[in-house]
Each structure stands twice: as C-alpha cells, then as structure tokens.
Amino acid sequence: MPAGALKKQGTGISPKKQPERRTKAQQRAERLEQILDAAEYLFSQNGFYGVTLRDVAKRVGIHTTLMHYYFEDKRALFEAVFARRSPETIGRRMAALEKYEKETGDSPTVEGALHAFLDTDLDLYREGGEAWMNSATFCARISNTPEGAELMDQYFDPVVLRLIGILKRALPDFSDEDIFWGYHFVTGALMNTLARTGRIDKLSGGVCHSDDFLAVKARMAKFMAAGFHALRN
C-alpha cells in the first residue's frame, strides 16, 4: 500500500484528544489556592510579622507585584487564610455538639461534651493530610497574638459558647468562673497540641509524637474532664 494511503477510518486509530484548556477563572482559582497554601504554611512557621508578601510570592513562584492582584495587603491575605478553612472546622464542631445534645438531652457529661468538641477537630486535621495539619499549626501559632485573637473572637465564639452552655448543664453546681477557666485550660492544651512543636517527642525519648493526634484523642477529653471535676474541691 502506498505511503499515506492509510485512512483513519477503519484503522482503529483514534484521533488524539486535545488537552482541555482551563478558563481564566479556573487558572485564577488555582493560583489563589496556591497562594493561600503558601501563606498558610509560612504564617504557621513564622507568624504574622515574620512573613512578607515577597516571601509568599517566592514560595509560589510568582512575581511579588502579582500578589496585589489577589490581595490588597498582607493583612487581607492573613484574614483570607484564616477564613478559608475555619467554616469547616466550626461547622463540624457545631454539628457534633448539636448531635451530642440531642442524644443526651438533660444529662450531658463533661467528658462527652469535650469529646464532641475536641475529637471532631482532631479527626479533621488528621484525616485532611498535610494541608490541614499546616492549618492546625497556623491556628495554634496565631491564636495567642492580637491579630489571631481578633479573628478567633469573630469566627469561633459561637461554637465555644455552645460548648460552654453544655458544660454548664453538665456542671449545674459550678460557678461560671470555674467553667470558663476550665475551658481556658482545655483550649490551651489543644493549641499546644496543634502547634506540633516536637517538644513532647524529645522529652519522651520518642515514646510520644506531637503529630499523633489519635493518641491525643484517646486521652485529652478524659484528662480535661477530670480537671473540671477537680475544681469542685
């Protein structure tokens, strides 16, 4: 058969499929996610003041001037990083607390309420992979800063107050002061855990690991519940 005489029809050769071209909106959304991922990691490691827009641009591999196309300034970027994942962790916690309230009615326990509040968050970070673990570290690092505390107040107060309401029903004889201090100690331990500093690894000689959220989940609620009850004395 002469060269070139072979026709596509009947040869079994399919025309090569052209790669799907992304729209400008898709490209912009993808780039935005890259920027937020990079900023989340850098803020988690260096805090708000230890990161510049140039640092984020360098990690993404874009020119610094392009950053201003997406964000007016570093503060706007910081708030966007916080706002991206917060609704999911808040939503899951709120749903878990609502479910727990329905199941227990007028007989909630401190440990049960803390399991609903803590385990839901620990599971989300653990199952979400490295991106969500970076988010956990980010929240832990910025929670004790004025910039982070302001956002914590704005986003997390409703779910925290929902937990406080359950704790008050579980501990009807306790003062509000003791319950709020108890929550303060709980959230302090949680943030120290989410920070994943590696200190527990060194102190324990490798027996414990700071990213072992399953081990934390198995112990934290029970431990903290005992602390609440100890305030009765």
Side-chain angles (χ1 to χ4, degrees), residues 115-130:
H115 270 300
F117 184 79
L118 295 170
D119 294 1
T120 307
D121 220 35
L122 291 169
D123 283 343
L124 175 60
Y125 292 128
R126 180 178 58 84
E127 295 166 2
E130 190 59 27

Side-chain angles (χ1 to χ4, degrees), residues 193-209:
T193 295
L194 298 183
R196 296 187 299 150
T197 63
R199 179 162 167 73
I200 189 66
D201 307 54
K202 297 174 184 176
L203 284 172
S204 68
V207 173
C208 303
H209 298 279

Side-chain angles (χ1 to χ4, degrees), residues 26-122:
Q26 289 172 325
Q27 293 176 34
R28 185 180 187 280
E30 183 178 310
R31 177 56 52 81
L32 178 60
E33 286 298 301
Q34 292 171 347
I35 291 172
L36 291 173
D37 284 344
E40 185 173 63
Y41 173 78
L42 291 171
F43 284 134
S44 76
Q45 299 301 305
N46 305 304
F48 179 77
Y49 292 103
V51 177
T52 66
L53 291 181
R54 183 184 298 273
D55 295 330
V56 178
K58 183 178 179 181
R59 185 170 179 85
V60 177
I62 60 176
H63 197 278
T64 306
T65 55
L66 186 58
M67 292 290 297
H68 293 285
Y69 174 73
Y70 293 91
F71 298 100
E72 181 180 354
D73 52 27
K74 184 173 71 170
R75 177 72 190 208
L77 172 60
F78 179 77
E79 292 180 0
V81 169
F82 191 94
R84 178 171 59 152
R85 302 193 199 275
S86 294
E88 184 162 359
T89 179
I90 292 166
R92 289 195 182 201
R93 276 177 163 177
M94 193 67 84
L97 290 172
E98 289 175 358
K99 182 173 183 288
Y100 180 72
E101 284 188 291
K102 287 180 181 178
E103 291 174 350
T104 58
D106 296 327
S107 305
T109 66
V110 176
E111 185 174 343
L114 291 177
H115 270 300
F117 184 79
L118 295 170
D119 294 1
T120 307
D121 220 35
L122 291 169

